[in-house]
């Protein structure tokens, strides 16, 4: 069990060093593509919801107030 724990700690240390070494590299992906991806995602979501709302014929659960009439009570006849 000791060897397993020792190797597990060693692996996590190696992984942490790899992450630290790559994090020092210049990361300009967000600077390059971030705004375009954000605008594209907003456009895509807007287009999909516009299609769903206007074309699919889904009956939305709108308020039934003023559309339903309550049933009349039937009085229980006393014996």
């Amino acid at each position: 069990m000791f060897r397993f724990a020792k190797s597990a700690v060693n692996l996590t240390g190696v992984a942490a060093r790899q992450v630290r070494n790559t994090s020092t590299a210049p990361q300009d992906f967000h600077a390059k593509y971030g705004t375009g991806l954000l605008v594209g995602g907003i456009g895509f979501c807007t287009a999909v919801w516009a299609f769903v709302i206007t074309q699919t014929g889904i009956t939305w659960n709108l308020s039934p107030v003023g559309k339903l009439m309550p049933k009349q009570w039937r009085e229980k006849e006393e014996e």
Side-chain angles (χ1 to χ4, degrees):
M1 189 67 181
F2 176 72
R3 285 193 296 181
F4 174 74
K6 186 177 176 182
S7 63
V9 168
N10 189 23
L11 283 178
T12 57
V14 170
R17 280 192 298 278
Q18 287 176 349
V19 168
R20 266 189 256 122
N21 285 340
T22 58
S23 66
T24 58
Q27 295 185 1
D28 56 348
F29 177 82
H30 293 290
K32 251 184 175 177
Y33 305 111
T35 305
L37 282 174
L38 183 64
V39 170
I42 291 170
F44 178 76
C45 284
T46 303
V48 168
W49 275 109
F51 175 79
V52 168
I53 290 170
T54 60
Q55 302 295 319
T56 57
I58 294 175
T59 303
W60 301 97
N61 291 325
L62 301 175
S63 174
V65 174
K67 297 178 186 174
L68 298 177
M69 297 297 294
K71 292 182 181 179
Q72 294 294 327
W73 278 100
R74 284 188 279 170
E75 294 291 333
K76 195 173 194 180
E77 295 180 18
E78 294 182 27
E79 296 178 21

